[in-house]
Amino acid sequence: MNSIRSSLDQFMKNKDWRRRYEELREEVLSYPKIQTFQQEHPEVTEEAMENNMMKLFEYKRERQNCDTCPGLENCPNMMQGYQPELYSDTGQLTVRYHPCRLKQQADEQKRQQSLIQSMHIPKEILEASFDDVEQDHASRLSASNACLKFAFEANPGEDATGLYLHGKFGVGKTYMIGAIANELVARDISSMIVYAPDFFREMKQALSDGTVQEKMDEVKNAEVLMLDDIGAETTSAWIRDDVLGVILQYRLMQKLPTVYTSNYDYDELENHLAYSQKGGIEELKAKRIMERVKHLTVPVFVDGKNRREM
């Protein structure tokens, strides 16, 4: 049996293979980006180029894919979204890969999206923008400006002041907090939007599986917390005092701002919180909760057409 070495020698003597190799070699060395590299790095010798012909072939193949980029999802490179570059290291030739522009943009978009968390919030709210807030009513214009100002000035860890957006159904309160979340992304501030009725319902269910503390920690530690439609939930003393009260107290101590939306104004929400499922009235406990809310929010009234009926 012939040795591997002799088999390779025989293979190298094959004229067809040799001719094809020379053609590929010429294609590689005539590739404009490789020629530019040679001109810029005279320390890389012809011998080094010859000894690394397979690396150069790999570089040319992958770089040509980038030259005719079909888009990130259809990238044919060995490492999708990565672009090859030639480097000279003390006269030695090497090929390195780095994320291409499209890959960097996609990674940045994912990073930004990770800054917005949500619980039970529709997708269109997570894509909200102040550019799309209709300015067809003086109240909506004023509210939009207040929300934008908050997004520009919010300072988690230093200032716990948030907003309390209140008004009738369908006037765009939830959409505005989605727009706030996206503006905060530009400042690298994370936020969490929580649909309050579903969250409080989930907390009751968490009693049975022992995840109450875990769920509460996730919400109370958000840099900017947005409680959507607070007051729409069925009130219970436990939810009011041991969930909402604990969350708000923690955020007060940590100076973390909270934004609310509600169909109730301050007084109406206080009345709502005073009633429990069991029919009792606990005005003092409701007042304690509302003192925290009032002290750390700016009330913003939102009015206008009901978007849900259009």
Side-chain angles (χ1 to χ4, degrees):
M1 181 181 292
N2 292 332
S3 67
I4 295 177
R5 178 65 187 173
S6 62
S7 296
L8 286 173
D9 289 342
Q10 188 66 33
F11 185 67
M12 290 292 289
K13 292 177 183 178
N14 184 288
K15 291 182 179 180
D16 289 339
W17 185 91
R18 195 70 196 175
R19 177 178 54 78
R20 180 58 183 150
Y21 174 80
E22 289 298 331
E23 290 175 354
L24 289 174
R25 177 180 175 278
E26 289 302 318
E27 289 178 13
V28 167
L29 295 178
S30 63
Y31 182 53
K33 287 184 172 60
I34 291 179
Q35 290 187 334
T36 299
F37 174 81
Q38 284 185 285
Q39 293 169 4
E40 294 175 349
H41 299 278
E43 74 278 8
V44 180
T45 65
E46 292 291 336
E47 182 180 5
M49 297 289 286
E50 290 291 342
N51 290 339
N52 289 279
M53 194 56 62
M54 293 307 295
K55 287 183 181 179
L56 291 172
F57 174 73
E58 173 190 318
Y59 167 79
K60 173 180 174 292
R61 181 191 62 204
E62 299 283 282
R63 195 62 179 80
Q64 282 183 319
N65 290 335
C66 297
D67 293 342
T68 57
C69 177
L72 184 59
E73 292 184 359
N74 298 312
C75 176
N77 282 356
M78 291 185 296
M79 294 190 294
Q80 193 175 55
Y82 284 80
Q83 188 175 71
E85 292 294 337
L86 290 175
Y87 288 87
S88 170
D89 184 10
T90 62
Q92 297 300 311
L93 180 67
T94 184
V95 180
R96 300 176 188 172
Y97 285 83
H98 62 81
C100 70
R101 177 179 54 83
L102 295 181
K103 172 69 172 171
Q104 291 174 356
Q105 290 175 349
D107 289 347
E108 176 62 15
Q109 186 176 27
K110 287 181 181 178
R111 187 191 71 80
Q112 290 181 349
Q113 289 173 345
S114 71
L115 292 176
I116 304 178
Q117 297 176 289
S118 68
M119 288 186 181
H120 319 292
I121 297 295
K123 181 181 178 182
E124 60 267 22
I125 300 302
L126 301 180
E127 298 173 349
S129 168
F130 283 109
D131 292 337
D132 297 326
V133 175
E134 294 187 32
Q135 311 292 349
D136 59 346
H137 193 282
S139 171
R140 185 177 283 109
L141 176 59
S142 177
S144 177
N145 289 337
C147 290
L148 188 58
K149 183 175 185 291
F150 170 80
F152 286 158
E153 298 179 356
N155 192 11
E158 299 293 334
D159 184 359
T161 305
L163 298 176
Y164 186 86
L165 305 180
H166 63 100
K168 61 186 180 182
F169 291 100
V171 293
K173 301 184 299 293
T174 303
Y175 191 88
M176 287 186 190
I177 64 173
I180 289 175
N182 282 302
E183 286 294 333
L184 291 173
V185 165
R187 299 178 55 209
D188 278 345
I189 296 176
S190 63
S191 62
M192 174 176 282
I193 308 177
V194 177
Y195 181 60
D198 281 352
F199 170 65
F200 292 142
R201 190 177 304 115
E202 189 175 303
M203 290 301 296
K204 292 176 183 177
Q205 296 171 351
L207 285 169
S208 61
D209 59 24
T211 60
V212 169
Q213 193 60 50
E214 177 185 342
K215 294 180 185 299
M216 281 185 59
D217 286 345
E218 186 178 3
V219 171
K220 73 183 186 182
N221 284 296
E223 281 193 283
V224 176
L225 175 63
M226 305 190 197
L227 290 175
D228 184 39
D229 212 6
I230 192 165
E233 72 284 348
T234 301
T235 307
S236 75
W238 181 73
I239 288 293
R240 180 194 60 212
D241 302 330
D242 297 323
V243 177
L244 181 60
V246 170
I247 289 173
L248 297 188
Q249 180 62 25
Y250 178 87
R251 297 185 64 76
L252 169 65
M253 299 300 293
Q254 299 300 316
K255 296 185 178 180
L256 298 173
T258 305
V259 177
Y260 306 80
T261 76
S262 181
N263 297 128
Y264 295 146
D265 62 20
Y266 284 150
D267 292 337
E268 291 168 334
L269 181 60
E270 183 174 330
N271 289 333
H272 170 76
L273 292 174
Y275 288 85
S276 67
Q277 281 178 313
K278 296 181 179 180
I281 301 176
E282 298 177 304
E283 294 179 354
L284 181 59
K285 290 186 176 180
K287 189 175 291 293
R288 286 174 180 167
I289 295 292
M290 288 308 303
E291 282 302 311
R292 296 172 192 166
V293 175
K294 291 177 183 179
H295 179 64
L296 293 173
T297 58
V298 175
V300 178
F301 179 61
V302 188
D303 200 0
K305 298 177 182 178
N306 187 338
R307 276 6 196 203
R308 299 174 188 174
E309 296 178 352
M310 296 175 65

